[in-house]
Amino acid sequence: MVVAGSGTGKSTTTWALLQHGFRYLSDELAPIDPASLDVHPYPHALCLKAPPPGPYPLPEETTRTELTLHIPVANLPSPAIRQPAPLHALLFLQRDSAVSVPTFAKVSPAEAGARLYASTLNALAHPGKGLDVAIRIATAVPAFTVNAGDLRATCELISELEEDL
């Protein structure tokens, strides 16, 4: 699961990762079952704020608005996952314009829990105001910061990281 603030490049990174063999569950929302830690699919159009760089062209079927680009699920490079899938890792995406070579670092469960809680949509719907669930998730799967650089290199780094999990 890629987690980051608005404008960090989650959707653009997701679009690029799809070109590198990853599969799609959702953009923006990742409903997680707190008991099983399965991520439930919420496939809808992938929404980008700008055209992706380099070798990741958009399909003709992309809907363009004044502010966004919407890639229909049917036009993704591989079929969207339609069944719940186990959560394997948390990737906290960061972007620094001074970074060209991407890096990653392991994150402690405490830091992962705090970062995840800050990104939670409906925390108040859970016991402990959602903190218990964030801690459960953060202690159950490995977490990393990914300081994104060049998009292709970032995807290659995430692919290598995924192979090691």
Side-chain angles (χ1 to χ4, degrees):
M1 182 167 70
V2 178
V3 182
S6 180
T8 306
K10 293 182 303 290
S11 298
T12 300
T13 301
T14 297
W15 173 245
L17 285 168
L18 291 169
Q19 316 299 312
H20 289 266
F22 282 77
R23 301 279 308 277
Y24 181 75
L25 273 119
S26 171
D27 185 28
E28 297 300 327
L29 296 173
I32 300 171
D33 180 324
S36 67
L37 297 181
D38 285 341
V39 182
H40 289 262
Y42 185 71
H44 62 89
L46 187 61
C47 179
L48 282 66
K49 293 180 180 81
Y56 305 108
L58 296 173
E60 274 184 38
E61 296 82 2
T62 300
T63 300
R64 299 167 190 273
T65 71
E66 190 173 311
L67 299 175
T68 55
L69 303 159
H70 300 265
I71 306 167
V73 173
N75 298 104
L76 298 176
S78 62
I81 297 173
R82 300 289 180 167
Q83 300 296 320
L87 179 64
H88 290 290
L90 300 170
L91 303 178
F92 296 102
L93 190 66
Q94 303 173 159
R95 189 159 304 281
D96 180 347
S97 60
V99 172
S100 59
V101 177
T103 60
F104 75 92
K106 186 119 172 76
V107 174
S108 72
E111 182 179 345
R115 286 175 177 251
L116 189 59
Y117 186 72
S119 298
T120 300
L121 179 63
N122 63 343
L124 299 181
H126 298 283
K129 298 183 180 173
L131 187 56
D132 297 347
V133 174
I135 291 170
R136 164 136 169 67
I137 294 168
T139 57
V141 298
F144 304 88
T145 57
V146 175
N147 198 353
D150 170 79
L151 190 55
R152 178 186 291 273
T154 298
C155 289
E156 289 169 357
L157 179 73
I158 291 172
S159 293
E160 290 169 17
L161 183 60
E162 191 265 338
E163 289 172 10
D164 291 340
L165 296 176

